[in-house]
Amino acid sequence: MDDDSPEARWERRTGGLLTLASLLFLAAYAVRVLAEPALPRAARAACYATMLAAWAVFAVDYAVRWRFSGRRLGFVRTHLLDTIVLVLPLLRPLRFVKTYERVQRRHGLPRLPLYGRVIVYAGTSAVLLGFSGALAVYHHEHGAPGTTMRTFGDAIWWTCSTLSTVGYGDVAPVTPVGRLIAVGMMACGLALLGAVTGSFSSWLLQVFSREDEEGPPGR
């Protein structure tokens, strides 16, 4: 049975708007970072206005859901991801995973098994987080003295090696903000890798356990 609380109804009504705002925020930030310094002043102002408007939508959504919940600080603890993306709106696209789950439930579509959902969600989160992280670190690094991240391709390469916990070290951030982003990317990479490997290991254990219970053919 679907949740009919005011907070749940609000989330169902605003899901599409928030998804659009997330896409616009990410697109505006990407244009601002990748097209600078060739970006005209009017286009730069439009990017800033789009980002600010999207953030305002996020802030209103957070405030309304906090009000509907009636839990005050309890809402912050149970909606940690929402709180983080309000402060760091570049991570807002990570909520696409939650939106996908809601759309499936609304239309009665068959859901993937638990292990499949974990892998799909982790993979989607890794792609979105990797692109957002590459934009953020490139923004702060490409013009810094002594940087090894001179192109966005370098930033993508660094992001892939960081999220996968490989860390070649040929490209590394040199600014304080870049290193702070790197710490967050390392933590997220470990969490995503742990979720996928843990889910896969659990699935293998269930398969082997089922085979042991069934026994060899013809027994």
Side-chain angles (χ1 to χ4, degrees):
M1 183 178 179
D2 291 339
D3 186 0
D4 198 39
S5 64
E7 183 182 350
R9 290 199 301 270
W10 171 265
E11 288 188 359
R12 288 195 292 268
R13 291 171 182 170
T14 59
L17 176 62
L18 292 172
T19 300
L20 178 61
S22 301
L23 286 172
L24 289 175
F25 186 96
L26 185 59
Y29 184 73
V31 170
R32 174 176 169 266
V33 171
L34 299 178
E36 202 176 19
L39 198 65
R41 181 176 299 179
R44 189 179 298 113
C47 288
Y48 277 116
T50 302
M51 292 167 60
L52 183 60
W55 185 86
V57 171
F58 304 154
V60 169
D61 170 66
Y62 187 89
V64 170
R65 290 190 295 117
W66 177 80
R67 177 68 176 174
F68 280 152
S69 70
R71 288 176 288 175
R72 302 195 178 189
L73 291 179
F75 177 84
V76 177
R77 289 194 298 269
T78 57
H79 293 74
L80 188 58
L81 178 60
D82 295 312
T83 306
I84 292 174
V85 298
L86 181 64
V87 180
L88 301 172
L90 192 59
L91 299 179
R92 185 74 191 191
L94 291 179
R95 284 182 57 87
F96 288 162
V97 173
K98 187 175 180 180
T99 301
Y100 170 76
E101 179 78 7
R102 190 182 300 120
V103 169
Q104 278 194 313
R105 288 200 304 266
R106 182 183 302 175
H107 295 283
L109 299 175
R111 300 172 67 189
L112 291 171
L114 176 61
Y115 309 113
R117 274 184 287 155
V118 170
I119 293 174
V120 170
Y121 294 169
T124 304
S125 299
V127 171
L128 293 172
L129 181 65
F131 182 68
S132 301
L135 283 174
V137 77
Y138 176 70
H139 180 207
H140 293 281
E141 290 291 322
H142 73 281
T147 183
T148 56
M149 204 174 296
R150 298 181 179 86
T151 67
F152 186 61
D154 293 335
I156 291 290
W157 167 252
W158 170 84
T159 301
C160 292
S161 63
T162 301
L163 278 178
S164 62
T165 69
V166 174
Y168 284 105
D170 54 340
V171 179
V174 296
T175 65
V177 176
R179 289 174 176 174
L180 184 61
I181 295 172
V183 171
M185 297 286 283
M186 293 173 195
C188 291
L190 287 172
L192 291 172
L193 186 62
V196 172
T197 55
S199 179
F200 184 69
S201 299
S202 180
W203 174 75
L204 285 178
L205 288 174
Q206 280 202 358
V207 170
F208 293 150
S209 177
R210 192 180 304 117
E211 289 179 351
D212 289 342
E213 290 176 358
E214 293 175 354
R219 186 178 68 177

